[in-house]
Amino acid sequence: IQKGAAYTDKVRYVSSDSRVAKVNSRGRITAEKAGRCNIYAIAQNGRAAKITLLLNKRDGQFSELYEGNVRKL
């Protein structure tokens, strides 16, 4: 995430549905249950990016993770 040529290392991560997937302060995503949610990375300077996750669960384990294209907001 950048603003012009200046980069920032202060990024906040947010899940649109923490029942589906959680994201920690370092951006590590943990699947919770099958479903769909968005993960947002929001920089201190206001720039943001979004990724859409679709999680499928088979035989008690998450067997597939589909990641959409990262879209800058």
Side-chain angles (χ1 to χ4, degrees):
I1 298 174
Q2 75 180 53
K3 182 177 183 180
Y7 290 86
T8 180
D9 60 352
K10 298 191 183 219
V11 177
R12 180 171 54 106
Y13 299 94
V14 180
S15 172
S16 66
D17 190 345
S18 60
R19 294 171 298 170
V20 175
K22 293 181 180 179
V23 61
N24 70 13
S25 62
R26 293 179 151 190
R28 183 181 173 102
I29 300 168
T30 304
E32 296 293 326
K33 70 174 194 169
R36 182 181 181 153
C37 73
N38 295 317
I39 302 294
Y40 298 92
I42 305 163
Q44 184 179 20
N45 62 13
R47 300 284 296 195
K50 175 181 92 169
I51 189 166
T52 301
L53 302 177
L54 176 60
L55 301 171
N56 293 320
K57 194 169 187 178
R58 293 189 184 129
D59 300 326
Q61 297 201 12
F62 291 100
S63 57
E64 296 183 38
L65 171 65
Y66 298 97
E67 298 184 23
N69 293 327
V70 173
R71 190 178 99 209
K72 292 182 182 176
L73 303 176

